[in-house]
Amino acid sequence: MVAVIDWLEFRPECEHSSLFTTRAGNPMSVRDLHRMFCRTVGRAGLGGNGITLHSLRHTFAVLLLRAGVDVRSLQRLLGHASLETTAQYLHLQTDDLRAAVDRHPLG
């Protein structure tokens, strides 16, 4: 969250609520964001490793879930209208399920 606050102080003044902007301060399109992301992944030498915007979104969801964020809150953070859509991001591993059972008060 600190990085977002820092960015909002750094970016040009805007008359819109978009987080990502072009250098001119206009809202960045999905295509612009995808192009920038691919360039950044390539410059970091990570191309071909399956790193996509979708994989970052998936990681965001799973890390929040593992940190104890409830699924309804996660649904809102991801902007999903349906809980079923959110559930697609939550492919839990066996270890995650075992840890959930271990946290049960009667466990």
XYZ file of all heavy atoms in Angstrom:
837
model
N 0.818 -1.193 0.000
C 0.000 0.000 0.000
C 0.860 1.254 0.000
O 0.489 2.251 -0.590
C -0.937 -0.035 1.201
C -1.939 1.062 1.188
S -2.954 0.980 -0.277
C -4.496 1.359 0.382
N 2.017 1.181 0.639
C 2.915 2.329 0.692
C 3.365 2.712 -0.714
O 3.439 3.892 -1.053
C 4.134 2.035 1.597
C 5.147 3.158 1.538
C 3.672 1.806 3.029
N 3.626 1.710 -1.550
C 4.059 1.993 -2.921
C 2.981 2.747 -3.694
O 3.284 3.654 -4.471
C 4.424 0.695 -3.629
N 1.716 2.396 -3.477
C 0.614 3.079 -4.170
C 0.536 4.528 -3.702
O 0.397 5.450 -4.511
C -0.727 2.350 -3.942
C -1.890 3.165 -4.489
C -0.690 0.973 -4.575
N 0.649 4.752 -2.410
C 0.614 6.116 -1.869
C 1.771 6.931 -2.432
O 1.591 8.077 -2.852
C 0.627 6.087 -0.327
C -0.683 5.480 0.180
C 0.833 7.488 0.244
C -0.676 5.131 1.654
N 2.968 6.326 -2.469
C 4.133 7.009 -3.042
C 3.892 7.365 -4.506
O 4.213 8.458 -4.959
C 5.387 6.148 -2.925
C 5.896 6.045 -1.494
O 5.450 6.835 -0.627
O 6.747 5.172 -1.248
N 3.328 6.416 -5.273
C 3.069 6.665 -6.685
C 2.070 7.802 -6.869
O 2.253 8.673 -7.724
C 2.554 5.407 -7.384
C 1.983 5.695 -8.733
C 0.683 5.533 -9.117
C 2.658 6.228 -9.872
N 0.522 5.926 -10.430
C 1.726 6.369 -10.912
C 3.974 6.616 -10.108
C 2.061 6.860 -12.164
C 4.311 7.113 -11.366
C 3.361 7.227 -12.365
N 1.007 7.828 -6.072
C -0.002 8.878 -6.219
C 0.581 10.260 -5.937
O 0.141 11.253 -6.507
C -1.200 8.589 -5.315
C -2.042 7.395 -5.734
C -3.128 7.111 -4.704
C -2.636 7.572 -7.118
N 1.610 10.331 -5.092
C 2.277 11.604 -4.836
C 3.210 11.977 -5.988
O 3.432 13.147 -6.267
C 3.061 11.533 -3.528
C 2.176 11.478 -2.303
C 2.965 11.352 -1.005
O 4.202 11.506 -1.030
O 2.334 11.102 0.033
N 3.754 10.968 -6.685
C 4.731 11.183 -7.752
C 4.093 11.478 -9.104
O 4.586 12.307 -9.851
C 5.632 9.942 -7.863
C 6.585 9.981 -9.014
C 7.744 10.741 -8.940
C 6.331 9.260 -10.174
C 8.628 10.780 -9.993
C 7.210 9.298 -11.238
C 8.364 10.058 -11.150
N 2.985 10.795 -9.412
C 2.393 10.911 -10.748
C 1.887 12.327 -11.001
O 1.598 13.076 -10.080
C 1.281 9.889 -10.943
C -0.001 10.292 -10.293
C -1.141 9.399 -10.683
N -2.335 9.987 -10.091
C -3.523 9.511 -10.214
N -3.710 8.407 -10.895
N -4.550 10.098 -9.665
N 1.736 12.672 -12.287
C 1.236 14.015 -12.614
C -0.175 14.216 -12.054
O -0.911 13.257 -11.877
C 1.198 14.020 -14.149
C 1.997 12.849 -14.591
C 2.024 11.879 -13.463
N -0.521 15.479 -11.813
C -1.888 15.785 -11.358
C -2.873 15.325 -12.420
O -2.653 15.522 -13.612
C -2.034 17.287 -11.121
C -1.307 17.751 -9.896
C -2.244 18.368 -8.886
O -3.451 18.461 -9.122
O -1.735 18.748 -7.840
N -3.936 14.689 -11.987
C -4.916 14.134 -12.917
C -6.323 14.515 -12.485
O -6.578 14.713 -11.304
C -4.819 12.605 -12.946
S -3.200 11.996 -13.402
N -7.204 14.571 -13.456
C -8.608 14.835 -13.161
C -9.414 13.555 -13.320
O -10.572 13.596 -13.733
C -9.119 15.939 -14.071
C -8.325 17.214 -13.904
C -9.138 18.455 -14.148
O -10.359 18.351 -14.322
O -8.533 19.520 -14.157
N -8.805 12.431 -13.000
C -9.462 11.126 -13.089
C -8.950 10.269 -11.935
O -8.016 10.652 -11.240
C -9.185 10.448 -14.438
C -7.732 10.296 -14.737
N -6.935 9.337 -14.142
C -6.915 10.997 -15.547
C -5.702 9.444 -14.591
N -5.653 10.446 -15.441
N -9.578 9.123 -11.746
C -9.206 8.273 -10.613
C -8.368 7.062 -11.024
O -8.114 6.186 -10.204
C -10.470 7.794 -9.888
O -11.262 7.028 -10.781
N -7.928 7.015 -12.281
C -7.114 5.884 -12.734
C -5.769 5.877 -12.011
O -5.128 6.921 -11.868
C -6.873 5.962 -14.238
O -8.079 5.824 -14.939
N -5.367 4.708 -11.575
C -4.092 4.579 -10.868
C -2.923 4.713 -11.832
O -1.945 5.396 -11.553
C -4.036 3.226 -10.147
C -2.764 2.928 -9.368
C -2.558 3.940 -8.242
C -2.832 1.511 -8.796
N -3.026 4.060 -12.984
C -1.938 4.072 -13.951
C -2.211 5.106 -15.027
O -3.306 5.164 -15.582
C -1.761 2.683 -14.570
C -1.414 1.637 -13.554
C -2.339 0.680 -13.186
C -0.166 1.629 -12.948
C -2.022 -0.277 -12.240
C 0.154 0.681 -12.000
C -0.776 -0.277 -11.642
N -1.206 5.924 -15.309
C -1.363 6.997 -16.266
C -0.218 6.980 -17.281
O 0.847 6.433 -17.028
C -1.358 8.363 -15.557
O -0.106 8.537 -14.894
C -2.478 8.478 -14.557
N -0.474 7.627 -18.402
C 0.577 7.835 -19.384
C 1.446 8.984 -18.892
O 1.113 9.646 -17.895
C -0.021 8.199 -20.756
O -0.723 9.444 -20.628
C -0.965 7.115 -21.253
N 2.537 9.248 -19.594
C 3.404 10.379 -19.203
C 2.654 11.698 -19.249
O 2.974 12.630 -18.508
C 4.625 10.427 -20.105
C 5.583 9.311 -19.851
C 6.790 9.393 -20.731
N 7.637 8.235 -20.460
C 8.618 7.857 -21.219
N 8.925 8.534 -22.302
N 9.326 6.798 -20.907
N 1.666 11.778 -20.127
C 0.871 13.000 -20.253
C -0.191 13.115 -19.162
O -0.889 14.112 -19.073
C 0.207 13.042 -21.628
N -0.330 12.075 -18.327
C -1.300 12.107 -17.242
C -2.664 11.561 -17.607
O -3.596 11.649 -16.819
N -2.790 10.986 -18.805
C -4.057 10.388 -19.227
C -4.182 8.973 -18.672
O -3.166 8.316 -18.437
C -4.143 10.348 -20.755
C -4.084 11.731 -21.355
O -4.684 12.664 -20.837
N -3.335 11.880 -22.426
N -5.409 8.497 -18.491
C -5.575 7.117 -18.021
C -4.909 6.141 -18.988
O -5.015 6.296 -20.200
C -7.088 6.907 -18.009
C -7.675 8.270 -17.965
C -6.702 9.161 -18.689
N -4.185 5.180 -18.456
C -3.521 4.181 -19.282
C -4.540 3.118 -19.683
O -5.292 2.631 -18.842
C -2.373 3.547 -18.487
C -1.462 2.678 -19.303
S -0.057 2.084 -18.331
C 1.057 3.453 -18.531
N -4.542 2.760 -20.961
C -5.452 1.721 -21.433
C -4.910 0.350 -21.045
O -3.740 0.211 -20.667
C -5.602 1.795 -22.956
O -4.404 1.374 -23.587
N -5.748 -0.650 -21.153
C -5.316 -2.023 -20.876
C -4.175 -2.393 -21.812
O -3.180 -2.996 -21.395
C -6.497 -3.010 -21.007
C -6.021 -4.444 -20.894
C -7.549 -2.709 -19.956
N -4.283 -1.998 -23.068
C -3.221 -2.286 -24.041
C -1.914 -1.603 -23.646
O -0.838 -2.204 -23.715
C -3.654 -1.839 -25.435
C -2.574 -2.053 -26.477
C -3.041 -1.697 -27.845
N -3.602 -2.914 -28.394
C -4.462 -2.964 -29.375
N -4.885 -1.852 -29.930
N -4.905 -4.101 -29.828
N -1.983 -0.335 -23.215
C -0.792 0.387 -22.763
C -0.141 -0.329 -21.576
O 1.070 -0.502 -21.523
C -1.132 1.817 -22.328
C -1.562 2.708 -23.461
O -1.153 2.468 -24.619
O -2.320 3.667 -23.184
N -0.966 -0.720 -20.619
C -0.464 -1.397 -19.427
C 0.193 -2.719 -19.794
O 1.281 -3.046 -19.294
C -1.606 -1.626 -18.433
C -1.227 -2.246 -17.094
C -0.224 -1.377 -16.357
C -2.465 -2.455 -16.244
N -0.426 -3.472 -20.692
C 0.123 -4.760 -21.115
C 1.477 -4.567 -21.804
O 2.442 -5.280 -21.518
C -0.858 -5.477 -22.046
C -0.402 -6.839 -22.416
N 0.203 -7.104 -23.615
C -0.442 -8.009 -21.735
C 0.525 -8.377 -23.670
N 0.138 -8.952 -22.540
N 1.559 -3.589 -22.692
C 2.824 -3.305 -23.391
C 3.933 -2.924 -22.406
O 5.052 -3.411 -22.497
C 2.609 -2.184 -24.396
C 2.826 -2.641 -25.818
C 2.698 -1.506 -26.784
N 1.271 -1.390 -27.059
C 0.637 -0.271 -27.372
N 1.275 0.848 -27.480
N -0.650 -0.266 -27.590
N 3.601 -2.047 -21.462
C 4.584 -1.610 -20.476
C 5.043 -2.792 -19.619
O 6.223 -2.963 -19.346
C 3.998 -0.522 -19.574
C 4.969 -0.008 -18.527
S 4.200 1.096 -17.334
C 3.171 -0.045 -16.426
N 4.109 -3.619 -19.222
C 4.427 -4.783 -18.392
C 5.357 -5.737 -19.144
O 6.357 -6.192 -18.594
C 3.142 -5.502 -17.977
C 3.389 -6.704 -17.127
C 3.671 -6.565 -15.781
C 3.353 -7.975 -17.665
C 3.911 -7.667 -14.986
C 3.587 -9.087 -16.890
C 3.874 -8.934 -15.542
N 5.030 -6.027 -20.408
C 5.869 -6.941 -21.200
C 7.287 -6.384 -21.370
O 8.264 -7.137 -21.281
C 5.232 -7.206 -22.559
S 3.757 -8.241 -22.462
N 7.397 -5.086 -21.620
C 8.731 -4.468 -21.730
C 9.506 -4.605 -20.425
O 10.692 -4.931 -20.418
C 8.586 -2.987 -22.083
C 8.700 -2.670 -23.536
C 8.943 -1.191 -23.806
N 8.183 -0.269 -22.981
C 6.995 0.228 -23.282
N 6.390 -0.114 -24.402
N 6.399 1.072 -22.474
N 8.834 -4.368 -19.314
C 9.483 -4.441 -18.007
C 9.941 -5.860 -17.696
O 11.059 -6.069 -17.220
C 8.536 -3.927 -16.905
O 8.142 -2.593 -17.227
C 9.188 -3.957 -15.544
N 9.103 -6.841 -17.979
C 9.462 -8.244 -17.759
C 10.668 -8.603 -18.627
O 11.607 -9.262 -18.167
C 8.262 -9.179 -18.043
C 8.690 -10.628 -18.109
C 7.198 -8.997 -16.969
N 10.665 -8.159 -19.873
C 11.789 -8.426 -20.773
C 13.078 -7.789 -20.293
O 14.135 -8.434 -20.285
N 13.015 -6.533 -19.867
C 14.212 -5.829 -19.365
C 14.774 -6.494 -18.116
O 15.974 -6.454 -17.873
C 13.880 -4.377 -19.061
C 13.706 -3.534 -20.280
C 13.397 -2.104 -19.902
N 13.087 -1.328 -21.082
C 12.309 -0.273 -21.084
N 11.758 0.155 -19.959
N 12.068 0.376 -22.203
N 13.890 -7.095 -17.335
C 14.337 -7.778 -16.110
C 14.887 -9.169 -16.411
O 15.346 -9.855 -15.501
C 13.179 -7.875 -15.123
N 14.836 -9.569 -17.674
C 15.342 -10.884 -18.055
C 14.426 -12.017 -17.624
O 14.879 -13.149 -17.467
N 13.154 -11.734 -17.444
C 12.210 -12.744 -16.962
C 11.264 -13.240 -18.044
O 10.333 -13.983 -17.748
C 11.396 -12.174 -15.795
C 12.219 -11.751 -14.578
C 11.341 -11.023 -13.574
C 12.898 -12.939 -13.951
N 11.469 -12.823 -19.282
C 10.603 -13.246 -20.375
C 10.605 -14.764 -20.515
O 11.614 -15.417 -20.281
N 9.464 -15.315 -20.867
C 9.357 -16.757 -21.059
C 9.187 -17.549 -19.776
O 9.187 -18.773 -19.795
N 9.039 -16.876 -18.654
C 8.871 -17.566 -17.371
C 7.420 -17.616 -16.925
O 7.137 -17.902 -15.770
C 9.713 -16.891 -16.278
C 11.187 -17.125 -16.475
O 11.598 -18.182 -16.941
N 12.002 -16.144 -16.131
N 6.500 -17.315 -17.814
C 5.081 -17.379 -17.467
C 4.600 -16.217 -16.615
O 3.544 -16.299 -15.995
N 5.368 -15.147 -16.567
C 4.966 -13.979 -15.781
C 4.062 -13.117 -16.646
O 4.480 -12.569 -17.662
C 6.188 -13.186 -15.301
C 7.060 -14.066 -14.413
C 5.748 -11.929 -14.563
C 8.378 -13.441 -14.032
N 2.798 -13.034 -16.227
C 1.796 -12.256 -16.950
C 1.040 -11.374 -15.963
O 1.156 -11.556 -14.743
C 0.786 -13.188 -17.651
O 0.065 -13.910 -16.632
C 1.475 -14.167 -18.590
N 0.284 -10.434 -16.488
C -0.567 -9.633 -15.608
C -1.535 -10.532 -14.852
O -1.801 -10.326 -13.668
C -1.324 -8.575 -16.408
C -0.471 -7.413 -16.908
C -1.252 -6.555 -17.881
C 0.037 -6.582 -15.741
N -2.035 -11.560 -15.538
C -2.958 -12.486 -14.884
C -2.256 -13.252 -13.761
O -2.839 -13.449 -12.683
C -3.547 -13.466 -15.896
C -4.469 -14.451 -15.267
N -5.767 -14.143 -14.942
C -4.274 -15.728 -14.863
C -6.327 -15.200 -14.369
N -5.451 -16.167 -14.316
N -1.015 -13.673 -13.971
C -0.314 -14.412 -12.909
C -0.070 -13.513 -11.700
O -0.108 -13.983 -10.561
C 0.993 -15.029 -13.422
O 1.948 -14.045 -13.740
N 0.155 -12.212 -11.925
C 0.306 -11.290 -10.794
C -1.005 -11.154 -10.032
O -1.030 -11.127 -8.798
C 0.769 -9.921 -11.272
C 2.181 -9.818 -11.805
C 2.490 -8.379 -12.201
C 3.192 -10.306 -10.785
N -2.104 -11.080 -10.760
C -3.430 -10.985 -10.128
C -3.718 -12.240 -9.314
O -4.220 -12.167 -8.190
C -4.476 -10.780 -11.225
C -5.870 -10.552 -10.744
C -6.760 -10.228 -11.944
N -8.144 -10.159 -11.588
C -8.754 -9.069 -11.148
N -8.086 -7.946 -11.008
N -10.040 -9.096 -10.853
N -3.388 -13.388 -9.880
C -3.584 -14.662 -9.189
C -2.735 -14.704 -7.907
O -3.223 -15.077 -6.835
C -3.211 -15.819 -10.113
C -3.310 -17.155 -9.464
N -4.489 -17.852 -9.353
C -2.361 -17.925 -8.863
C -4.272 -18.988 -8.716
N -2.989 -19.052 -8.425
N -1.479 -14.300 -8.012
C -0.583 -14.289 -6.851
C -1.117 -13.348 -5.776
O -1.111 -13.677 -4.583
C 0.831 -13.882 -7.278
O 1.304 -14.825 -8.242
C 1.782 -13.841 -6.093
N -1.583 -12.184 -6.178
C -2.183 -11.219 -5.252
C -3.317 -11.873 -4.466
O -3.371 -11.802 -3.231
C -2.701 -10.024 -6.072
C -3.556 -9.048 -5.317
C -2.989 -8.098 -4.487
C -4.938 -9.062 -5.471
C -3.779 -7.180 -3.803
C -5.741 -8.146 -4.796
C -5.153 -7.203 -3.966
N -4.209 -12.565 -5.191
C -5.357 -13.200 -4.550
C -4.931 -14.304 -3.594
O -5.405 -14.381 -2.452
C -6.303 -13.762 -5.622
N -4.027 -15.164 -4.026
C -3.603 -16.295 -3.192
C -2.859 -15.810 -1.953
O -3.087 -16.319 -0.848
C -2.747 -17.286 -4.016
C -2.110 -18.326 -3.123
C -3.612 -17.959 -5.077
N -1.982 -14.822 -2.100
C -1.245 -14.317 -0.935
C -2.181 -13.683 0.087
O -2.005 -13.859 1.301
C -0.165 -13.324 -1.369
C 1.013 -13.925 -2.125
C 1.962 -12.822 -2.596
C 1.755 -14.947 -1.282
N -3.187 -12.961 -0.385
C -4.151 -12.387 0.555
C -4.947 -13.475 1.257
O -5.191 -13.398 2.464
C -5.090 -11.417 -0.161
C -4.486 -10.071 -0.519
C -5.472 -9.233 -1.323
C -4.059 -9.318 0.730
N -5.342 -14.484 0.504
C -6.083 -15.591 1.101
C -5.243 -16.285 2.167
O -5.707 -16.553 3.276
C -6.513 -16.591 0.034
C -7.360 -17.749 0.536
C -8.723 -17.262 0.996
C -7.501 -18.808 -0.531
N -3.979 -16.554 1.855
C -3.082 -17.203 2.819
C -2.833 -16.338 4.050
O -2.558 -16.848 5.123
C -1.750 -17.540 2.152
C -1.844 -18.696 1.197
C -0.518 -19.000 0.568
N -0.635 -20.120 -0.357
C 0.285 -20.444 -1.235
N 1.398 -19.743 -1.330
N 0.105 -21.478 -2.034
N -2.952 -15.019 3.871
C -2.756 -14.093 4.997
C -4.019 -13.976 5.848
O -4.031 -13.256 6.837
C -2.339 -12.723 4.483
N -5.089 -14.677 5.433
C -6.297 -14.688 6.250
C -7.397 -13.764 5.784
O -8.406 -13.602 6.482
N -7.246 -13.132 4.623
C -8.303 -12.262 4.111
C -9.484 -13.138 3.700
O -9.310 -14.156 3.045
C -7.785 -11.431 2.907
C -8.913 -10.660 2.247
C -6.682 -10.490 3.366
N -10.686 -12.739 4.109
C -11.863 -13.547 3.779
C -12.195 -13.412 2.297
O -11.843 -12.427 1.647
C -13.057 -13.158 4.654
C -13.540 -11.756 4.364
O -12.958 -10.804 4.933
O -14.476 -11.609 3.567
N -12.879 -14.404 1.770
C -13.135 -14.497 0.337
C -14.032 -13.352 -0.149
O -13.851 -12.847 -1.255
C -13.736 -15.874 -0.027
C -14.054 -15.959 -1.503
C -12.776 -16.984 0.356
N -14.977 -12.919 0.652
C -15.847 -11.804 0.254
C -15.036 -10.512 0.083
O -15.251 -9.755 -0.859
C -16.969 -11.582 1.272
C -18.034 -12.629 1.239
C -18.895 -12.465 0.011
N -19.928 -13.499 0.042
C -20.680 -13.801 -0.968
N -20.544 -13.162 -2.108
N -21.579 -14.737 -0.879
N -14.110 -10.265 1.007
C -13.249 -9.079 0.878
C -12.379 -9.201 -0.367
O -12.189 -8.234 -1.101
C -12.369 -8.913 2.113
O -13.159 -8.668 3.243
N -11.862 -10.381 -0.593
C -11.043 -10.632 -1.766
C -11.856 -10.389 -3.041
O -11.362 -9.786 -4.000
C -10.514 -12.064 -1.731
C -9.438 -12.412 -2.732
C -8.237 -11.500 -2.608
C -9.015 -13.854 -2.534
N -13.096 -10.815 -3.036
C -13.991 -10.593 -4.175
C -14.084 -9.100 -4.485
O -13.982 -8.683 -5.635
C -15.371 -11.159 -3.870
C -16.405 -10.881 -4.940
C -17.812 -11.310 -4.514
O -18.030 -11.780 -3.407
N -18.769 -11.122 -5.396
N -14.254 -8.296 -3.453
C -14.364 -6.843 -3.642
C -13.059 -6.254 -4.139
O -13.046 -5.389 -5.021
C -14.791 -6.168 -2.338
C -16.244 -6.481 -1.994
C -16.789 -5.631 -0.901
N -16.818 -4.236 -1.329
C -16.740 -3.209 -0.492
N -16.635 -3.406 0.790
N -16.773 -1.972 -0.945
N -11.927 -6.720 -3.582
C -10.621 -6.207 -4.010
C -10.346 -6.516 -5.475
O -9.732 -5.716 -6.188
C -9.510 -6.795 -3.138
C -9.442 -6.259 -1.717
C -8.513 -7.116 -0.870
C -8.970 -4.808 -1.719
N -10.788 -7.672 -5.928
C -10.580 -8.061 -7.319
C -11.627 -7.463 -8.254
O -11.485 -7.527 -9.466
C -10.584 -9.595 -7.442
C -9.412 -10.308 -6.766
C -9.639 -11.808 -6.774
C -8.098 -9.948 -7.426
N -12.696 -6.902 -7.686
C -13.728 -6.269 -8.485
C -14.659 -7.240 -9.178
O -15.228 -6.926 -10.216
N -14.838 -8.412 -8.585
C -15.711 -9.420 -9.184
C -17.144 -9.262 -8.704
O -17.386 -9.074 -7.517
C -15.235 -10.825 -8.810
C -13.915 -11.180 -9.391
N -13.082 -12.112 -8.833
C -13.268 -10.736 -10.499
C -12.000 -12.223 -9.564
N -12.081 -11.397 -10.573
N -18.094 -9.391 -9.621
C -19.509 -9.359 -9.257
C -19.925 -10.696 -8.654
O -20.770 -10.752 -7.769
C -20.364 -9.048 -10.480
N -19.302 -11.768 -9.105
C -19.674 -13.112 -8.670
C -18.564 -13.741 -7.834
O -17.384 -13.665 -8.188
C -19.935 -13.986 -9.905
O -19.968 -15.346 -9.557
N -18.969 -14.389 -6.761
C -18.003 -15.104 -5.929
C -17.393 -16.277 -6.698
O -16.239 -16.653 -6.472
C -18.674 -15.592 -4.651
C -17.765 -16.090 -3.537
C -16.748 -15.029 -3.137
C -18.579 -16.489 -2.336
N -18.146 -16.834 -7.627
C -17.637 -17.936 -8.443
C -16.436 -17.491 -9.282
O -15.494 -18.255 -9.482
C -18.730 -18.491 -9.357
C -19.792 -19.260 -8.593
C -20.880 -19.797 -9.509
O -20.617 -19.978 -10.713
O -21.984 -20.030 -9.005
N -16.460 -16.261 -9.750
C -15.323 -15.732 -10.514
C -14.098 -15.635 -9.618
O -12.992 -16.013 -10.022
C -15.665 -14.347 -11.090
O -16.853 -14.456 -11.856
C -14.543 -13.819 -11.966
N -14.276 -15.154 -8.405
C -13.159 -15.048 -7.461
C -12.587 -16.420 -7.158
O -11.368 -16.586 -7.082
C -13.630 -14.382 -6.149
O -14.235 -13.136 -6.458
C -12.475 -14.165 -5.187
N -13.449 -17.407 -7.021
C -13.003 -18.758 -6.678
C -12.043 -19.326 -7.719
O -11.202 -20.164 -7.394
C -14.204 -19.678 -6.505
N -12.125 -18.857 -8.950
C -11.219 -19.352 -9.986
C -9.766 -18.981 -9.704
O -8.851 -19.630 -10.191
C -11.633 -18.811 -11.355
C -12.965 -19.340 -11.817
C -13.406 -18.723 -13.118
O -12.657 -18.012 -13.774
N -14.636 -18.992 -13.505
N -9.545 -17.934 -8.925
C -8.191 -17.504 -8.592
C -7.619 -18.265 -7.401
O -6.460 -18.116 -7.064
C -8.180 -16.014 -8.247
C -8.306 -15.130 -9.445
C -9.542 -14.741 -9.917
C -7.173 -14.687 -10.119
C -9.660 -13.930 -11.019
C -7.278 -13.881 -11.222
C -8.532 -13.504 -11.676
O -8.636 -12.708 -12.770
N -8.436 -19.040 -6.747
C -8.042 -19.607 -5.467
C -7.785 -21.104 -5.545
O -8.358 -21.890 -4.819
C -9.126 -19.300 -4.428
C -9.515 -17.829 -4.337
C -10.645 -17.645 -3.362
C -8.331 -16.963 -3.988
N -6.895 -21.496 -6.410
C -6.521 -22.905 -6.537
C -5.603 -23.246 -5.371
O -4.410 -22.991 -5.409
C -5.801 -23.146 -7.859
C -6.549 -22.647 -9.028
N -7.704 -23.252 -9.465
C -6.347 -21.593 -9.835
C -8.151 -22.590 -10.512
N -7.352 -21.580 -10.757
N -6.208 -23.778 -4.332
C -5.434 -24.055 -3.121
C -4.666 -25.358 -3.250
O -5.153 -26.341 -3.794
C -6.363 -24.122 -1.908
C -7.114 -22.842 -1.603
C -8.050 -23.062 -0.433
C -6.156 -21.721 -1.307
N -3.479 -25.332 -2.705
C -2.670 -26.541 -2.684
C -3.035 -27.347 -1.445
O -3.631 -26.846 -0.495
C -1.193 -26.164 -2.646
C -0.769 -25.379 -3.869
C 0.641 -24.856 -3.734
O 1.270 -25.003 -2.691
N 1.149 -24.245 -4.790
N -2.659 -28.603 -1.436
C -2.950 -29.490 -0.317
C -2.424 -28.913 0.992
O -3.101 -28.978 2.019
C -2.332 -30.880 -0.567
O -2.814 -31.361 -1.824
C -2.696 -31.852 0.522
N -1.239 -28.327 0.964
C -0.662 -27.739 2.184
C -1.541 -26.620 2.735
O -1.677 -26.471 3.949
C 0.742 -27.207 1.920
C 1.741 -28.311 1.640
O 1.455 -29.483 1.981
O 2.805 -28.007 1.079
N -2.125 -25.824 1.838
C -3.007 -24.746 2.278
C -4.236 -25.309 2.981
O -4.673 -24.798 4.012
C -3.463 -23.896 1.085
C -2.314 -23.164 0.421
O -1.437 -22.679 1.144
O -2.317 -23.087 -0.814
N -4.798 -26.356 2.406
C -5.980 -26.973 3.004
C -5.641 -27.614 4.348
O -6.396 -27.496 5.310
C -6.566 -28.014 2.053
C -7.085 -27.448 0.725
C -7.488 -28.576 -0.214
C -8.242 -26.505 0.955
N -4.488 -28.272 4.427
C -4.055 -28.897 5.686
C -3.853 -27.824 6.758
O -4.266 -27.991 7.905
C -2.762 -29.680 5.456
C -2.380 -30.540 6.659
C -1.198 -31.458 6.359
N -1.578 -32.450 5.359
C -0.963 -32.587 4.161
N 0.027 -31.819 3.841
N -1.371 -33.504 3.312
N -3.269 -26.700 6.393
C -3.050 -25.618 7.350
C -4.377 -25.045 7.831
O -4.524 -24.699 9.013
C -2.198 -24.508 6.704
N -5.369 -24.969 6.939
C -6.692 -24.480 7.335
C -7.321 -25.403 8.373
O -7.902 -24.966 9.359
C -7.589 -24.341 6.103
N -7.206 -26.704 8.160
C -7.741 -27.668 9.103
C -6.991 -27.576 10.435
O -7.602 -27.621 11.504
C -7.669 -29.111 8.535
C -8.002 -30.145 9.599
C -8.612 -29.239 7.345
N -5.687 -27.392 10.385
C -4.878 -27.276 11.605
C -5.273 -26.067 12.436
O -5.124 -26.073 13.651
C -3.393 -27.209 11.277
C -2.845 -28.529 10.754
O -3.506 -29.581 10.942
O -1.751 -28.523 10.155
N -5.790 -25.012 11.780
C -6.206 -23.802 12.523
C -7.565 -23.968 13.178
O -7.971 -23.135 13.982
C -6.233 -22.601 11.571
C -4.845 -22.099 11.193
C -4.907 -20.739 10.519
N -5.721 -20.711 9.314
C -5.268 -20.929 8.080
N -3.997 -21.203 7.891
N -6.071 -20.857 7.056
N -8.283 -25.017 12.852
C -9.614 -25.219 13.429
C -9.494 -25.386 14.944
O -8.609 -26.090 15.427
C -10.273 -26.466 12.806
C -11.716 -26.585 13.169
N -12.124 -27.099 14.356
C -12.826 -26.209 12.486
C -13.453 -27.070 14.415
N -13.892 -26.531 13.278
N -10.376 -24.754 15.722
C -10.272 -24.810 17.184
C -10.341 -26.237 17.757
O -9.790 -26.500 18.816
C -11.472 -23.997 17.672
C -12.021 -23.293 16.495
C -11.465 -23.902 15.267
N -10.997 -27.130 17.047
C -11.091 -28.491 17.558
C -9.999 -29.401 16.991
O -9.983 -30.599 17.260
C -12.479 -29.080 17.238
C -13.652 -28.331 17.853
C -14.969 -28.964 17.402
C -13.545 -28.312 19.358
N -9.121 -28.822 16.172
C -8.054 -29.587 15.537
C -7.022 -29.955 16.548
O -6.263 -30.808 16.612
